Amino acid sequence: MKLGARMLKTGLAVAIAIYIAAALPFQTSTVFAGMAALFSIQPSIYRSYQSIVEQVEANIIGAIVAYIILVSLGNDPFIMGFTIVLVIGVCVKFGMKENTILLALVAVIAIMESTEMDLLPFTMLRFSSLMIGIFASFVVNLVFIPPKYETKLFNQVDQHTGDILQWLRITTRHLSDRPALREEIDRLESAMVTLDHTYSLFREERTYFKKRRFEKARKLILFKHLISTTRKAFEVLKTFSSLENEMDKVPSEFRTTLVNELDKVIHVHEKLILSLKGRIRFHETDPIEEAGEPNIPKLVEYLIDIYEEKETEEEKLMFLPLATKLMDYHQKLAHLKKLLSSYQLYHTSEQIKTIKK
């Protein structure tokens, strides 16, 4: 089992919160301090800044409502359930997130527990326990194992693009195993969602120097187009998967042309990724490129000719999605190539962080 940074930070935050609560001279609850730390950990420093105010507000709402109900109605289980419903309603009204609402509910349960102490000191002790957990998580997020989303994002782009292009090569040659391909497409669907999430986390990371802000903005644009191009390649793969049986019905000359042109496109895409990794010189020609640039528009014209030759409406519409996806992929790739060429020409001092140190 691989332990991620967030897992380690969660465990560390809980441990620190419990140690602090246990070390204080007044009787704070170590259990509720640990629970607050558990719910307060965030995936990025920026989200920690965003959430700490909301978490404190939720804690205050839960504590105040619980104290008022406890003083006026007692702590019968039915009354406690009613209090929880009330606190959820207030938090939702203020637009709080799920984790924040859970923290408010922890405050309700912590304060409405049976005790022989005076209610106000008991409420303050439990409130303090929860605040210890919140601030312990905030400090751990701020200081320990800061996330490197730029490296993580590029590695995800590299891995998913490589997988998609590999399956695209196999599928166009009718070598793919159908069940394995369907399973892989489902996995890649989830991977693309994860990729978008990582991009959002990278975009949220704050930079505090003007020079770094401009560099970050350029990298965000570059990553946006890298992800968009990968998604277009994935759409082509899905379209080929749905048409694999129908490909036997097209002329063998077209199938040969299709494989050759897509090999050129795949090679260009792979070369762009390798140039970002610093493994090849982007502007240097190679034997495959000397054989000619991919001519996807010509391939699409060939598909249109096949479309016109078909007799039934269903047969005519069969290959139109493929023509559309191929053109979209070709245009995205051409735009990415220009963008990357410009980036590496005018910003040679900037490098994508591709390797975890």
Side-chain angles (χ1 to χ4, degrees):
M1 181 180 69
K2 185 178 179 181
L3 294 177
R6 191 174 180 185
M7 295 180 191
L8 296 174
K9 287 197 292 185
T10 302
L12 185 60
V14 171
I16 290 172
I18 292 173
Y19 271 122
I20 293 172
L24 291 174
F26 44 89
Q27 297 176 353
T28 53
S29 171
T30 56
V31 173
F32 287 110
M35 288 178 68
L38 187 66
F39 287 120
S40 301
I41 207 74
Q42 296 293 324
S44 69
I45 294 171
Y46 176 66
R47 290 195 179 183
S48 292
Y49 281 118
Q50 276 189 320
S51 65
I52 188 167
V53 175
E54 190 177 275
Q55 287 166 349
V56 172
E57 288 173 349
N59 204 6
I60 291 171
I61 290 170
I64 291 174
V65 174
Y67 178 74
I68 292 171
I69 298 293
L70 185 61
V71 169
S72 58
L73 299 175
N75 63 350
D76 183 81
F78 180 80
I79 293 171
M80 190 181 291
F82 167 75
T83 308
I84 285 173
V85 172
L86 186 61
V87 170
I88 291 173
V90 173
C91 291
V92 170
K93 182 71 175 177
F94 284 107
M96 293 181 177
K97 298 182 180 68
E98 184 178 345
N99 265 21
T100 310
I101 295 174
L102 287 174
L103 190 59
L105 301 184
V106 170
V108 172
I109 295 169
I111 291 166
M112 296 191 77
E113 184 184 0
S114 297
T115 179
E116 295 179 358
M117 289 179 62
D118 292 337
L119 292 180
L120 186 58
F122 180 74
T123 300
M124 295 306 296
L125 282 174
R126 287 299 169 89
F127 178 79
S128 300
S129 299
L130 295 168
M131 294 303 294
I132 288 168
I134 291 171
F135 283 103
S137 289
F138 178 72
V139 171
V140 167
N141 253 349
L142 199 63
V143 177
F144 295 95
I145 323 175
K148 297 178 181 178
Y149 286 114
E150 180 180 336
T151 303
K152 185 176 181 179
L153 180 59
F154 180 81
N155 289 335
Q156 286 181 355
V157 170
D158 182 26
Q159 179 186 343
H160 301 330
T161 302
D163 290 343
I164 290 166
L165 297 182
Q166 185 180 62
W167 276 102
L168 199 52
R169 266 201 188 96
I170 294 170
T171 305
T172 54
R173 287 170 167 80
H174 291 268
L175 299 175
S176 60
D177 177 70
R178 291 290 297 172
L181 178 58
R182 282 195 296 269
E183 186 177 327
E184 189 68 6
I185 285 174
D186 290 339
R187 184 189 69 81
L188 287 168
E189 287 276 14
S190 301
M192 295 305 295
V193 174
T194 304
L195 195 58
D196 288 335
H197 178 64
T198 308
Y199 177 80
S200 297
L201 292 172
F202 176 54
R203 185 180 58 202
E204 288 173 358
E205 284 185 332
R206 287 297 179 259
T207 51
Y208 304 100
F209 300 99
K210 188 175 181 180
K211 183 180 178 182
R212 289 283 299 150
R213 282 202 297 269
F214 286 124
E215 180 182 338
K216 173 74 175 291
R218 285 189 287 269
K219 287 182 177 180
L220 280 171
I221 293 170
L222 185 59
F223 272 118
K224 182 179 179 180
H225 286 281
L226 278 167
I227 294 168
S228 178
T229 307
T230 298
R231 184 171 283 105
K232 292 300 179 185
F234 182 47
E235 288 174 3
V236 171
L237 174 62
K238 288 194 293 184
T239 308
F240 265 113
S241 173
S242 63
L243 293 173
E244 190 170 14
N245 294 330
E246 283 70 22
M247 279 295 171
D248 293 329
K249 302 173 185 177
V250 300
S252 58
E253 181 186 349
F254 170 74
R255 290 202 299 271
T256 303
T257 305
L258 180 67
V259 169
N260 291 338
E261 293 301 324
L262 270 173
D263 276 352
K264 293 176 187 177
V265 173
I266 291 168
H267 174 74
V268 170
H269 201 163
E270 287 174 335
K271 191 175 180 183
L272 295 180
I273 300 294
L274 287 170
S275 70
L276 273 172
K277 294 168 80 171
R279 295 186 180 179
I280 61 172
R281 290 186 291 273
F282 180 69
H283 297 285
E284 188 169 314
T285 59
D286 60 42
I288 295 180
E289 285 191 347
E290 288 173 1
E293 286 287 322
N295 194 346
I296 295 300
K298 183 179 178 181
L299 193 62
V300 170
E301 287 180 11
Y302 209 146
L303 274 172
I304 292 171
D305 290 339
I306 294 173
Y307 157 79
E308 290 174 347
E309 290 172 3
K310 297 297 180 181
E311 296 179 359
T312 66
E313 193 69 23
E314 184 179 349
E315 288 179 323
K316 285 188 174 184
L317 296 174
M318 189 181 299
F319 291 103
L320 283 184
L322 179 60
T324 304
K325 302 299 183 186
L326 284 170
M327 280 302 298
D328 286 345
Y329 182 32
H330 171 68
Q331 289 169 358
K332 281 288 183 183
L333 196 57
H335 184 68
L336 177 63
K337 189 175 181 181
K338 289 179 183 177
L339 184 67
L340 185 55
S341 177
S342 174
Y343 181 79
Q344 294 186 332
L345 183 62
Y346 296 108
H347 305 286
T348 53
S349 61
E350 298 176 14
Q351 289 185 344
I352 300 290
K353 296 173 184 176
T354 62
I355 301 173
K356 292 183 181 179
K357 294 184 180 179

